[in-house]
Amino acid sequence: MPKELPKAYNFNETEARIYQWWWDAGYFQPSNDPNKPGFDPTIKPFVISIPPANVTGSLHLGHALFVSMEDLLIRYHRMKGEPTLWVPGVDHAGIATQLVVENKLREEGTSRKALGREKFLERTWAWKEKYGGIITQQIRRLGASCDWTRERFTLDDGLSRAVREAFVTLYEKGWIYRGPRMINWSPGLQTAVSDLEVEYSEETGKLYYFKYQIVGSEEFIPVATTRPETILGDTGVAVHPDDVRFSHLVGKKAIVPILGREVPVIADAYVDREFGTGALKITPAHDPNDYEIGIRHNLEFINVLNKDATINENGGPYAGLDRMDCRQQLWADMEAADLVIKVEPYLLKVPRSQRGGEVVEPMVSTQWFVDVQEMADEALAAVEDGRIEIIPERFKKVYYNWMENIKDWCISRQLWWGHRIPVWYCDDCNAMTVTREDPEKCQSCGSKNLRQDPDVLDTWFSSALWPFSTLGWPEQTPDLDYFYPTSVMETGYDILFFWVARMIMTGLEFTGQAPFHTVYLHGLIRDEHGQKMSKTKNNMIDPLDVMDELGTDALRFTLLVGSTPGNDTNVSIKKVEANRNFANKLWNAGRYVIRNLENMPAQPVGEPNWTLADSWIWARMKQVNQTVNRLFEGYQFGEAGRQIYDFFWGEFADWYVEIAKNQIAEGGDRAYYTIQTLVRVMDTCLRFLHPFTPFVTEALWGHLRSASIETSPGLAPDGGWEEALIIARWPEPPAMEGWEEGKIEDFALIQEMVRAIRNIRSEYKVEPGRRISCTISARDKSVMIESQKQTFASLAGIDPQGLTIVAKPLEPSEERITLVITPVEVSIPLVGLVDLEAERSRLEKELAEAQSQIERLEKLLASPFAQKAPQDVVEKEREKLAAYHETSERLQQQLG
């Protein structure tokens, strides 16, 4: 006999056990592996390279979304019979990891510099070995079916070799160079940082207006700035070429306040005549826009900041001051010199370091850069000609805009943890040696007095190589031959440029092929009100806590069905709770189906004689299968999940399972074919749901499989039962098996009739167990409805003896409620349904109350209240009035 399932699904007991079983059975590894016997190179694989999480990271909802989405893709393609490979790995996260270790050293009373580079790196590797695996264990908890035998780390030997190869190749082509350019400088971290590591916060600041005196004149140009300390680095004043207010001053000289340096007045179309005073101070060394103007007009570049954001020797009397202290002192001195016009409050977008939180300074600094123009042109063409698709398509415009306006990439960082730049300087001849292997002597003079560049590469440099370096490049490995190019790159839209574009550029450059054929972009996770999640707002949701409390499947389903390509997703605990309930509904429906296998006839006597309900559920399952397949192929996974959810709960569980109880009670072939239908539909739903909710579906499917094999081998799906759901075949629309697809419309009419009567029962507060009478004018549906008498009566709570079906129209009667459900009418006698006098009295009281409220609200809205109260408050009162009018009309109709 089939084993009775527990009443409730215990996810705590199930998830870890099933995950370990999947792993032990080798299901996460590709079914066609170039490193194993029997390999067939003609079978095309489906491959995803996981976006590597930071080694310092702890699981957050962003991780949960991309892991769930990619696992869904992998599980779907695995069930489609494709060899699937999901390459896992983590990023060394240069800044984040170095900060963690430095903080630890600080607690010990020492520092990175006190330890020295070699000892510091030893400590960092030790930290990585101890704590670096936490994030991957947390990713496993989400059900990620990665091939963990192929796990990579961006600082492992193979990827380090790939980084060296890429750097040297680009250097040899003349695309990597060292020189001064505008970068983001983090004074706290003492390094250049990428744009992605800068967060802009809206903060209340000030707009400072002051005078730029013209040399040899009483005239001045009024200028405004939010950063007075940068006045010390000004090398020009710009006005718009068409601004008649200042055109006569173009070509003259202005005097830098306090310092007295003379700078040119220039004309440049970048200047916005409507902002501030219509004139700009130009600080080419400390503002990215001024930097471009400075290049156009050949202005001097004067850096006034030290690495710790104190003023350097170019700041004259302010040298040594902190930048903020300098701001106050300089402004006070300018006031004393009568150079100040006014100060206004101003809302600023302040660039702050993502890691340290301090204000980031735009600064011209000597760094290593990549000239990416040629690679960008190729990457642009790959999307334009369709080699790479971006989903959703609207992000192509964003991609094109970035690539068409791309700047040279700053790849050096003043850190110790990371890929050290493979450049050595000769102390004897000052020549540079750039090699793939550590050199023993200078390539120019043969001297052994070499010292390596102290900087490391931007973390994004190694990440840009991820799709092919993880498969063995630059070696031509079997994995690289078979699994590259990969299939889909799934990631957040916020790193389309910072990561995706760079992978496309390097993939085309180093392999000659696009690294993937599709880029699928998901949105950001927000709270239930659409607000960004942050600790300060106290609206963070910890996915580990949610999984502990509500289960992994509930969290995954919430994230996946709530998502649409490229759009942000609002998440709340209530939504996860609702999907925990869905997992329980799934479990309970499975328990019911499995329990009925005990009493199932061993074999049918004859061919199936499908009921209307049977035909309907088979036909609807075929429709849903076709729809879900189309949605999956169109990357509309959220909508696919919603369709499956609605079919399972709203049609199979709520309607067919209820009807099946009566059909099974008939026994014989009717019971056999009903249970067969229950098993087939349940099996199909579990297959549909597996990529969304892998744990509960695998557990339940295993029980369904075992019970079916034990009691009735004939119930096996086409092709037989597979050994596990994770490798089971994806459902295909069933072939016609004697049921009629056209019966959907007939069953939909029965559903509408049942719903209408249930609404009447609810409105008149008829007890659930009480059977009522009913007359149906069926017209041309008489035969169909007559055949469904038992089903209709059971579902609607109708007394079968009191159910009358006629073909002719019904006569109007005040003693009956008549419901028109095209093309039929349903009539219910009020006598016996309710106490007519008591019902009339109740309706009259409700009508009097509604009319009283109408009178009150009409007076209120005719009073000064309507003009004085907030618009939203007035609108709510109008909505109440409309609702009371509607109630009054309905009650009057019921009273006759």
Side-chain angles (χ1 to χ4, degrees), residues 30 118 149 160 171 201 319 402 479 625 768:
E118 188 175 340
T149 65
S160 294
Y171 179 82
S201 63
W402 275 332
D479 273 10
N625 202 327

Side-chain angles (χ1 to χ4, degrees), residues 124-133:
T124 311
W125 275 106
W127 180 92
K128 185 267 176 185
E129 293 306 315
K130 186 173 182 179
Y131 298 106

Side-chain angles (χ1 to χ4, degrees), residues 165-179:
E165 179 66 29
F167 184 96
V168 175
T169 299
L170 295 177
Y171 179 82
E172 289 172 346
K173 293 188 76 165
W175 291 356
I176 284 183
Y177 65 93
R178 188 170 185 263

Side-chain angles (χ1 to χ4, degrees), residues 312-494:
N312 66 20
E313 68 280 2
N314 292 325
Y318 307 100
L321 288 178
D322 176 78
R323 54 185 163 170
M324 299 306 173
D325 294 335
C326 173
R327 178 180 297 184
Q328 293 180 2
Q329 185 61 54
L330 174 60
W331 196 249
D333 292 345
M334 288 171 63
E335 277 188 308
D338 193 28
L339 294 173
V340 167
I341 299 173
K342 62 178 178 178
V343 179
E344 290 179 346
Y346 189 70
L347 188 63
L348 302 173
K349 284 193 173 180
V350 179
R352 292 191 175 275
S353 165
Q354 185 186 58
R355 299 293 173 187
E358 80 279 3
V359 176
V360 168
E361 288 289 344
M363 185 185 294
V364 171
S365 174
T366 298
Q367 303 282 344
W368 285 94
F369 294 89
V370 183
D371 179 348
V372 294
Q373 190 59 59
E374 289 192 43
M375 289 192 287
D377 291 342
E378 287 295 319
L380 186 62
V383 175
E384 287 177 332
D385 64 25
R387 280 175 285 164
I388 298 175
E389 285 296 326
I390 297 178
I391 298 171
E393 191 171 2
R394 70 177 186 272
F395 280 96
K396 284 185 181 179
K397 291 182 180 178
V398 178
Y399 178 83
Y400 294 157
N401 182 57
W402 275 332
M403 302 308 279
E404 288 165 357
N405 296 282
I406 199 163
K407 302 273 194 304
D408 288 1
W409 174 16
C410 176
I411 56 170
S412 51
R413 298 292 182 266
Q414 288 64 56
L415 303 170
W416 287 355
W417 174 248
H419 294 279
R420 195 164 177 181
I421 289 176
V423 174
W424 287 260
Y425 304 98
C426 179
D427 287 335
D428 293 332
C429 74
N430 295 321
M432 285 196 309
T433 297
V434 181
T435 61
R436 290 166 177 79
E437 305 294 336
D438 288 5
E440 294 182 359
K441 59 184 181 180
C442 173
Q443 288 179 335
S444 296
C445 71
S447 168
K448 294 188 176 182
N449 294 324
L450 299 176
R451 51 187 169 80
Q452 189 173 359
D453 193 299
D455 290 353
V456 299
L457 287 165
D458 177 11
T459 298
W460 294 101
F461 190 91
S462 52
S463 299
L465 313 176
W466 187 250
F468 48 96
S469 64
T470 53
L471 296 173
W473 184 89
E475 302 298 330
Q476 200 61 36
T477 64
D479 273 10
L480 187 66
D481 280 342
Y482 182 58
F483 294 119
Y484 186 84
T486 65
S487 306
V488 176
M489 172 47 61
E490 192 282 338
T491 190
Y493 65 66
D494 54 329

Side-chain angles (χ1 to χ4, degrees), residues 187 227-234 258-259 261 283 286 302-330 361 363:
R227 300 155 66 211
E229 67 278 9
T230 62
I231 293 171
L232 303 173
D234 286 357
I258 306 302
L259 295 185
R261 185 170 63 245
T283 321
H286 292 289
I302 300 176
N303 177 18
V304 298
L305 290 175
N306 293 311
K307 291 182 178 180
D308 61 357
T310 58
I311 305 300
N312 66 20
E313 68 280 2
N314 292 325
Y318 307 100
L321 288 178
D322 176 78
R323 54 185 163 170
M324 299 306 173
D325 294 335
C326 173
R327 178 180 297 184
Q328 293 180 2
Q329 185 61 54
L330 174 60
E361 288 289 344
M363 185 185 294

Side-chain angles (χ1 to χ4, degrees), residues 529-548:
H529 306 296
Q531 298 293 311
K532 186 177 179 180
M533 291 188 177
S534 68
K535 291 179 181 177
T536 55
K537 292 180 181 177
N538 197 31
N539 62 351
M540 299 282 286
I541 295 176
D542 186 335
L544 297 169
D545 291 343
V546 174
M547 289 189 285
D548 286 341

